[in-house]
Amino acid sequence: EACRRLAAGDVEWCENILAENVKQCSPGTPVVHGRKAYGDLMRFYVNKGAEWSWVPTEAAVSGDVGWVFGTVKVGMPGEPSKPGKFVSTYKRIDGEWLVHVEMFNLDVN
């Protein structure tokens, strides 16, 4: 659902599944700290016409913590999509599963 919403430019919906103290780690950039900063980053890339797609391939839950691993493709207009991998960790906070840390890297070809 998040992939579809982000592709539609619905950054507000995406922000609502983030923990307040979320951390986002992208290749070659400093860690992004916090829901607002991560939302601003998503808006920046949506406005540039970036495209993402991801496919979860493994997931697990233990108590109030869960994680998802999978493949990702990231592309900018006029450039070929680049494949990679991602890991997202989730925490159950007040009964809701929220993204706590997201990391991805791109495959080197």
Side-chain angles (χ1 to χ4, degrees), residues 25-92:
C25 308
S26 296
T29 65
V31 175
V32 174
H33 295 270
R35 181 183 289 156
K36 181 180 179 336
Y38 194 177
D40 291 346
L41 180 67
M42 285 188 277
R43 277 185 196 81
F44 172 81
Y45 282 107
V46 164
N47 290 338
K48 293 267 186 192
E51 295 180 357
W52 299 267
S53 64
W54 54 90
V55 177
T57 58
E58 294 179 55
V61 173
S62 179
D64 289 335
V65 177
W67 60 268
V68 177
F69 172 84
T71 60
V72 64
K73 285 190 179 179
V74 180
M76 295 298 288
E79 298 178 11
S81 291
K82 298 174 183 170
K85 291 121 355 235
F86 76 92
V87 174
S88 297
T89 62
Y90 292 79
K91 277 188 172 180
R92 187 171 17 212

